[in-house]
Amino acid sequence: MTVLTEKIIIYGAAGILLIAVIYLYIRKLRRESKIVDDKIRLAKEEGLYEPVSLHPVINPNSCIQSGACIKACPEEDIIGIKNGRAMVINASRCVGHGTCFHACPTQAITLCIGTEKRGVDLPHVNPYFESNVKGIFIAGEMGGMGLIKNAVEQGRQAVDNIIRSLKIRERNVYDLIIIGAGPAGISATLEAKKHKLNTITLEQNSLGGTVFSFPRTKIVMTSPMDLPLHGKVKLFETNKTTLLKLWTSVLSKNEIEILEYKKAEKIIRQNGGFIVNTADGSQYTTQRVLLTIGRRGSPRKLNIPGEELPKVFYRLLEPEFIHHKKIVVIGGGDSAVESALLLAEQNEVTLSYRKDTFSRLKLKNNQKIKEAMASGKLEVLFNSNLMAIEENRVTIKTDGEEQPIQLVNDLVYIFAGGELPTEFLKNAGIEITRKFGEAILKH
């Protein structure tokens, strides 16, 4: 009887302990799920739930709740675990690092572009980075991968694939012409030099492409990357100046010259190769072409009276040299908000945004703009549109107000995004399709 009693007590205690552990675990899961659910609800209210470009799609049948994707992501609150499954929280804040894709132990994550509701225009590119036009390759942002690390890797891989497709070298003909000297173009140029290809790189503006247009003090979010002819580069939070110095140093060390301010205007197919015409009248003959020009192309204009005035700009390069001006910044994305915050340090700044709330900002930028608004550091006009620009003032119309307001003004900065160089691509024969949730990276 004593033995039986002891067994009952032991097994009973073990059972109670097991039930307690399970109860605490379930309660913990429910508490964490509620937190994630609240974040998702807030993201929907703030317009951050719908992805705007590359983003993870998680297969619930493969997810094992390891949390590896959450730990790997350099951003905050992109993915969370709800009811035992990983799911996207702030999809519009995803910038395409792709670390979640590689970190998932069960390969439950696919990186997709666009959604069922919101399509994204992209040129046709196969897994080897070749477009529908045989001999023209595309890498980097225009192909859907905009992060610096990803662009660098794609530039290298594209050149490796181009090498396999090259014919016997021809006299007076380049093996490869690279159009665009951003992260993908620089990487491709270095990889081409490594393999001793007869190559030139054309850039319509300055070395660095989109990176060059960033403000001098803007933090470039990146991660370790392998740069051809240089090796591993460990950069996590660095500014544009540091990154450009690195690229300039590596190019100089390897005796590579980028042809800056050489805008490619037309690509003509000829005898199995191509002729590239530039805006200054130059003409180059090549076997292969690699496009690394980015999705932004030319800045999108508002097409309003006065937009051609010299006081209007589409990028901010050196805000530290702008003092005591009355400035209007147009836009609601990260570029507009970052520029407005930088300019507000020494100027009187008004930010005009056509929507009623910021919906596409990185977490840090969202926090900073809210603090600046609360402290009166800068003024934000939501639901507003710039109607006209004059020498000494601007006219802004706000929804719900009968009369537009006029502001005394010295400078205008417009950040309305960029326009995909559609005509340039179409003239080369490249097909552009709208992607509605199509997988860019999958296992």
Side-chain angles (χ1 to χ4, degrees), residues 15-71:
I16 292 171
L17 180 61
L18 180 60
I19 292 170
V21 170
I22 293 174
Y23 170 76
L24 292 173
Y25 178 70
I26 292 174
R27 192 172 72 169
K28 176 177 175 290
L29 286 181
R30 286 178 176 173
R31 184 171 62 251
E32 292 176 347
S33 292
K34 186 179 184 309
I35 292 172
V36 170
D37 195 47
D38 289 341
K39 288 180 178 179
I40 291 174
R41 178 180 50 77
L42 182 61
K44 288 180 177 179
E45 290 175 358
E46 295 182 347
L48 299 173
Y49 189 71
E50 186 78 12
V52 295
S53 68
L54 196 68
H55 62 280
V57 173
I58 303 161
N59 182 350
N61 297 320
S62 301
C63 178
I64 61 170
Q65 193 187 326
S66 70
C69 55
I70 301 172
K71 294 177 182 177

Coordinates of all heavy atoms in Angstrom, one line a residue, residues 15-71:
G15 N 2.8 14.5 -13.3 CA 1.7 14.9 -14.1 C 1.4 16.4 -13.9 O 1.2 17.1 -14.9
I16 N 1.3 16.8 -12.7 CA 1.0 18.2 -12.4 C 2.1 19.1 -12.9 O 1.8 20.2 -13.5 CB 0.9 18.4 -10.8 CG1 -0.4 17.7 -10.3 CG2 0.8 19.9 -10.5 CD1 -0.5 17.6 -8.8
L17 N 3.4 18.7 -12.8 CA 4.5 19.5 -13.3 C 4.4 19.6 -14.8 O 4.6 20.7 -15.4 CB 5.8 18.9 -12.9 CG 7.1 19.6 -13.4 CD1 7.1 21.0 -12.8 CD2 8.3 18.8 -13.0
L18 N 4.1 18.5 -15.5 CA 4.0 18.5 -16.9 C 2.8 19.4 -17.4 O 3.0 20.2 -18.3 CB 3.7 17.1 -17.4 CG 3.6 16.9 -18.9 CD1 4.9 17.3 -19.6 CD2 3.3 15.4 -19.3
I19 N 1.7 19.3 -16.7 CA 0.5 20.1 -17.0 C 0.9 21.6 -16.8 O 0.5 22.5 -17.6 CB -0.7 19.7 -16.2 CG1 -1.2 18.4 -16.6 CG2 -1.8 20.8 -16.3 CD1 -2.2 17.8 -15.7
A20 N 1.6 21.9 -15.7 CA 2.0 23.3 -15.5 C 2.9 23.8 -16.5 O 2.8 25.0 -17.0 CB 2.7 23.4 -14.1
V21 N 3.9 23.0 -17.0 CA 4.8 23.4 -18.0 C 4.1 23.7 -19.3 O 4.3 24.7 -20.0 CB 5.9 22.3 -18.3 CG1 6.7 22.7 -19.5 CG2 6.8 22.3 -17.0
I22 N 3.2 22.7 -19.7 CA 2.4 22.9 -20.9 C 1.5 24.2 -20.8 O 1.4 24.9 -21.8 CB 1.5 21.7 -21.1 CG1 2.4 20.5 -21.5 CG2 0.5 21.9 -22.3 CD1 1.6 19.2 -21.6
Y23 N 0.9 24.4 -19.6 CA 0.0 25.6 -19.4 C 0.8 26.8 -19.6 O 0.4 27.8 -20.3 CB -0.6 25.5 -18.0 CG -1.3 26.8 -17.6 CD1 -2.5 27.1 -18.2 CD2 -0.7 27.7 -16.7 CE1 -3.1 28.3 -17.8 CE2 -1.3 28.9 -16.4 CZ -2.5 29.2 -16.9 OH -3.1 30.3 -16.6
L24 N 2.0 26.9 -18.9 CA 2.9 28.1 -19.0 C 3.3 28.3 -20.5 O 3.4 29.5 -20.9 CB 4.1 28.0 -18.1 CG 3.7 28.0 -16.6 CD1 5.0 27.7 -15.8 CD2 3.2 29.4 -16.2
Y25 N 3.6 27.2 -21.2 CA 4.1 27.3 -22.6 C 3.0 27.9 -23.5 O 3.2 28.8 -24.3 CB 4.6 26.0 -23.1 CG 5.0 26.0 -24.5 CD1 6.2 26.6 -24.9 CD2 4.3 25.3 -25.5 CE1 6.6 26.6 -26.2 CE2 4.7 25.3 -26.8 CZ 5.9 26.0 -27.2 OH 6.3 26.0 -28.5
I26 N 1.8 27.3 -23.3 CA 0.7 27.8 -24.1 C 0.3 29.2 -23.8 O 0.0 30.0 -24.7 CB -0.6 26.9 -23.8 CG1 -0.3 25.4 -24.4 CG2 -1.8 27.5 -24.5 CD1 -1.4 24.4 -24.1
R27 N 0.4 29.6 -22.5 CA 0.1 31.0 -22.1 C 1.1 31.9 -22.8 O 0.8 33.0 -23.2 CB 0.1 31.1 -20.6 CG -0.4 32.5 -20.1 CD -0.6 32.5 -18.7 NE 0.7 32.6 -18.0 CZ 0.8 32.9 -16.7 NH1 -0.3 33.1 -15.9 NH2 2.0 33.0 -16.1
K28 N 2.4 31.5 -22.7 CA 3.5 32.3 -23.4 C 3.2 32.4 -24.9 O 3.4 33.5 -25.4 CB 4.8 31.6 -23.1 CG 6.0 32.3 -23.8 CD 7.3 31.5 -23.4 CE 8.5 32.1 -24.2 NZ 8.5 31.8 -25.6
L29 N 2.8 31.3 -25.5 CA 2.5 31.4 -27.0 C 1.4 32.4 -27.2 O 1.4 33.2 -28.2 CB 2.2 30.0 -27.5 CG 3.4 29.0 -27.7 CD1 2.8 27.7 -28.3 CD2 4.4 29.6 -28.6
R30 N 0.3 32.3 -26.4 CA -0.8 33.1 -26.6 C -0.5 34.6 -26.4 O -0.9 35.5 -27.1 CB -1.9 32.7 -25.6 CG -2.6 31.4 -26.0 CD -3.7 31.0 -25.0 NE -4.4 29.9 -25.5 CZ -5.3 29.2 -24.7 NH1 -5.6 29.7 -23.5 NH2 -6.0 28.2 -25.2
R31 N 0.4 34.8 -25.4 CA 0.8 36.2 -25.1 C 1.6 36.8 -26.2 O 1.4 37.9 -26.7 CB 1.6 36.2 -23.8 CG 2.0 37.7 -23.3 CD 2.6 37.7 -22.0 NE 3.9 36.9 -21.9 CZ 4.0 35.8 -21.3 NH1 2.9 35.3 -20.6 NH2 5.2 35.1 -21.2
E32 N 2.6 36.0 -26.7 CA 3.4 36.4 -27.9 C 2.5 36.6 -29.1 O 2.8 37.5 -29.9 CB 4.5 35.4 -28.1 CG 5.6 35.4 -27.0 CD 6.6 34.3 -27.2 OE1 6.4 33.4 -28.1 OE2 7.6 34.3 -26.5
S33 N 1.6 35.7 -29.3 CA 0.7 35.8 -30.5 C -0.1 37.0 -30.4 O -0.4 37.7 -31.5 CB -0.2 34.5 -30.6 OG 0.5 33.4 -30.8
K34 N -0.6 37.4 -29.2 CA -1.4 38.6 -29.1 C -0.5 39.8 -29.4 O -1.0 40.8 -30.1 CB -1.9 38.7 -27.7 CG -2.9 39.9 -27.5 CD -3.4 40.0 -26.1 CE -4.4 41.2 -26.0 NZ -4.0 42.4 -26.5
I35 N 0.7 39.8 -29.0 CA 1.6 40.9 -29.3 C 1.8 41.1 -30.8 O 1.7 42.2 -31.3 CB 3.0 40.7 -28.6 CG1 2.8 40.8 -27.1 CG2 4.0 41.8 -29.1 CD1 4.1 40.5 -26.3
V36 N 2.0 39.9 -31.5 CA 2.2 40.0 -32.9 C 0.9 40.4 -33.6 O 0.9 41.2 -34.5 CB 2.6 38.6 -33.4 CG1 2.6 38.5 -35.0 CG2 4.0 38.3 -32.9
D37 N -0.3 39.9 -33.1 CA -1.6 40.3 -33.6 C -1.8 41.8 -33.5 O -2.3 42.4 -34.4 CB -2.7 39.5 -32.9 CG -4.0 39.5 -33.6 OD1 -4.0 39.3 -34.9 OD2 -5.0 39.8 -33.0
D38 N -1.4 42.3 -32.4 CA -1.5 43.8 -32.2 C -0.6 44.6 -33.2 O -1.0 45.6 -33.7 CB -1.2 44.2 -30.7 CG -2.2 43.7 -29.7 OD1 -3.4 43.4 -30.2 OD2 -1.9 43.6 -28.5
K39 N 0.6 44.0 -33.4 CA 1.5 44.7 -34.3 C 0.9 44.6 -35.7 O 1.0 45.6 -36.5 CB 2.9 44.0 -34.3 CG 3.6 44.3 -33.0 CD 5.0 43.6 -33.0 CE 5.8 44.0 -31.8 NZ 7.1 43.3 -31.8
I40 N 0.3 43.5 -36.1 CA -0.3 43.4 -37.4 C -1.4 44.3 -37.6 O -1.6 45.0 -38.6 CB -0.7 41.9 -37.7 CG1 0.5 41.0 -37.8 CG2 -1.6 41.8 -38.9 CD1 0.1 39.5 -37.9
R41 N -2.3 44.4 -36.6 CA -3.4 45.3 -36.6 C -2.9 46.8 -36.8 O -3.4 47.5 -37.6 CB -4.2 45.2 -35.3 CG -5.4 46.2 -35.3 CD -6.2 46.0 -33.9 NE -5.3 46.0 -32.8 CZ -4.8 47.2 -32.3 NH1 -5.0 48.3 -32.8 NH2 -4.0 47.1 -31.2
L42 N -1.8 47.1 -36.0 CA -1.3 48.5 -36.1 C -0.7 48.7 -37.5 O -0.8 49.8 -38.1 CB -0.2 48.7 -35.0 CG 0.4 50.1 -35.0 CD1 -0.6 51.1 -34.7 CD2 1.5 50.1 -33.9
A43 N 0.0 47.7 -38.0 CA 0.6 47.8 -39.4 C -0.5 48.1 -40.4 O -0.3 48.8 -41.4 CB 1.4 46.6 -39.7
K44 N -1.6 47.4 -40.3 CA -2.7 47.6 -41.2 C -3.3 49.0 -41.1 O -3.6 49.6 -42.1 CB -3.8 46.5 -41.0 CG -3.4 45.1 -41.4 CD -4.5 44.1 -41.2 CE -4.2 42.7 -41.6 NZ -5.2 41.7 -41.4
E45 N -3.4 49.5 -39.9 CA -3.9 50.8 -39.7 C -3.0 51.9 -40.3 O -3.4 52.9 -40.8 CB -4.1 51.1 -38.2 CG -5.2 50.3 -37.5 CD -5.3 50.5 -36.0 OE1 -4.5 51.2 -35.5 OE2 -6.2 49.9 -35.4
E46 N -1.6 51.6 -40.2 CA -0.7 52.6 -40.7 C -0.3 52.4 -42.1 O 0.6 53.0 -42.7 CB 0.6 52.5 -39.8 CG 0.3 53.0 -38.3 CD 1.6 53.0 -37.5 OE1 2.6 52.4 -38.0 OE2 1.6 53.5 -36.4
G47 N -0.9 51.4 -42.7 CA -0.6 51.1 -44.1 C 0.7 50.4 -44.4 O 1.2 50.5 -45.5
L48 N 1.2 49.7 -43.4 CA 2.5 49.0 -43.5 C 2.4 47.5 -43.8 O 3.4 46.8 -43.9 CB 3.3 49.3 -42.3 CG 3.6 50.7 -41.9 CD1 4.3 50.8 -40.6 CD2 4.5 51.3 -43.0
Y49 N 1.2 47.0 -43.8 CA 1.0 45.6 -44.0 C 1.2 45.1 -45.4 O 1.7 44.0 -45.6 CB -0.4 45.2 -43.4 CG -0.6 43.7 -43.3 CD1 0.1 43.0 -42.3 CD2 -1.4 43.0 -44.2 CE1 -0.1 41.6 -42.2 CE2 -1.6 41.6 -44.1 CZ -1.0 40.9 -43.1 OH -1.1 39.6 -43.0
E50 N 0.8 45.9 -46.4 CA 0.9 45.5 -47.8 C 2.3 45.7 -48.3 O 2.8 46.9 -48.2 CB -0.1 46.3 -48.6 CG -0.2 45.9 -50.0 CD -1.1 44.7 -50.2 OE1 -1.8 44.3 -49.3 OE2 -1.1 44.2 -51.4
P51 N 3.0 44.7 -48.8 CA 4.3 44.9 -49.3 C 4.4 45.8 -50.6 O 3.4 45.8 -51.4 CB 4.8 43.5 -49.6 CG 3.5 42.7 -49.9 CD 2.5 43.3 -48.9
V52 N 5.5 46.5 -50.7 CA 5.6 47.4 -51.9 C 6.6 46.9 -52.9 O 6.6 47.3 -54.0 CB 6.0 48.8 -51.5 CG1 4.9 49.5 -50.7 CG2 7.3 48.8 -50.7
S53 N 7.5 46.0 -52.5 CA 8.4 45.4 -53.4 C 8.8 44.0 -53.0 O 7.9 43.2 -52.7 CB 9.7 46.3 -53.6 OG 10.5 46.3 -52.4
L54 N 10.1 43.6 -52.9 CA 10.5 42.3 -52.6 C 10.1 42.0 -51.1 O 10.3 42.8 -50.2 CB 12.0 42.2 -52.8 CG 12.5 40.7 -52.8 CD1 12.0 40.0 -54.0 CD2 14.1 40.7 -52.7
H55 N 9.5 40.8 -50.8 CA 9.1 40.5 -49.5 C 9.0 39.0 -49.3 O 8.9 38.3 -50.3 CB 7.7 41.1 -49.2 CG 6.7 40.6 -50.1 ND1 6.5 41.1 -51.4 CD2 5.7 39.7 -50.0 CE1 5.5 40.5 -52.0 NE2 5.0 39.6 -51.1
P56 N 9.1 38.5 -48.0 CA 9.0 37.1 -47.8 C 7.6 36.6 -47.8 O 6.6 37.3 -47.3 CB 9.6 36.9 -46.4 CG 9.3 38.2 -45.7 CD 9.4 39.3 -46.8
V57 N 7.3 35.4 -48.3 CA 6.1 34.7 -48.3 C 6.4 33.4 -47.6 O 7.3 32.6 -48.0 CB 5.5 34.4 -49.7 CG1 4.2 33.5 -49.6 CG2 5.1 35.8 -50.3
I58 N 5.6 33.1 -46.5 CA 6.0 31.9 -45.6 C 4.9 30.8 -45.8 O 3.7 31.0 -45.7 CB 6.0 32.4 -44.1 CG1 7.0 33.5 -44.0 CG2 6.3 31.2 -43.2 CD1 6.9 34.3 -42.7
N59 N 5.4 29.6 -46.0 CA 4.6 28.4 -46.2 C 4.2 27.9 -44.8 O 5.1 27.4 -44.1 CB 5.3 27.4 -47.0 CG 4.5 26.1 -47.2 OD1 3.4 26.0 -46.6 ND2 4.9 25.2 -48.1
P60 N 3.0 28.0 -44.3 CA 2.6 27.6 -43.0 C 2.8 26.1 -42.8 O 3.0 25.7 -41.6 CB 1.2 28.1 -42.9 CG 0.7 28.1 -44.3 CD 1.8 28.6 -45.1
N61 N 2.7 25.3 -43.8 CA 2.9 23.9 -43.7 C 4.3 23.4 -43.5 O 4.5 22.3 -43.0 CB 2.3 23.2 -44.9 CG 0.8 23.5 -45.1 OD1 0.1 23.5 -44.2 ND2 0.4 23.7 -46.4
S62 N 5.3 24.3 -43.8 CA 6.7 24.0 -43.6 C 7.3 24.6 -42.4 O 8.3 24.2 -41.9 CB 7.5 24.3 -44.9 OG 7.0 23.7 -46.0
C63 N 6.7 25.7 -41.9 CA 7.2 26.5 -40.8 C 7.2 25.7 -39.5 O 6.2 25.1 -39.2 CB 6.4 27.8 -40.6 SG 7.0 28.8 -39.2
I64 N 8.3 25.6 -38.8 CA 8.4 24.9 -37.5 C 8.6 25.8 -36.3 O 9.0 25.4 -35.3 CB 9.5 23.8 -37.6 CG1 10.9 24.5 -37.8 CG2 9.3 22.8 -38.6 CD1 12.1 23.6 -37.6
Q65 N 8.4 27.1 -36.6 CA 8.5 28.1 -35.4 C 9.9 28.2 -34.8 O 10.0 28.4 -33.6 CB 7.4 27.7 -34.4 CG 7.2 28.7 -33.3 CD 6.3 28.2 -32.2 OE1 5.4 27.4 -32.5 NE2 6.5 28.7 -31.0
S66 N 10.9 28.0 -35.6 CA 12.3 28.1 -35.1 C 12.7 29.5 -34.7 O 13.5 29.8 -33.8 CB 13.3 27.6 -36.1 OG 13.4 28.4 -37.2
G67 N 12.1 30.5 -35.4 CA 12.4 31.9 -35.1 C 13.7 32.4 -35.8 O 14.2 33.5 -35.6
A68 N 14.3 31.5 -36.5 CA 15.6 31.8 -37.2 C 15.4 33.0 -38.1 O 16.3 33.8 -38.3 CB 16.1 30.6 -37.9
C69 N 14.3 33.1 -38.8 CA 14.1 34.2 -39.8 C 14.0 35.5 -39.1 O 14.5 36.5 -39.6 CB 12.8 33.9 -40.6 SG 11.3 33.6 -39.5
I70 N 13.4 35.5 -37.9 CA 13.2 36.7 -37.1 C 14.6 37.2 -36.6 O 14.9 38.4 -36.7 CB 12.3 36.5 -35.9 CG1 10.9 36.1 -36.4 CG2 12.2 37.8 -35.1 CD1 10.0 35.7 -35.3
K71 N 15.4 36.3 -36.1 CA 16.8 36.7 -35.6 C 17.7 37.1 -36.8 O 18.5 38.0 -36.6 CB 17.4 35.5 -34.9 CG 16.7 35.1 -33.6 CD 17.3 33.8 -33.0 CE 16.5 33.4 -31.8 NZ 17.1 32.1 -31.2

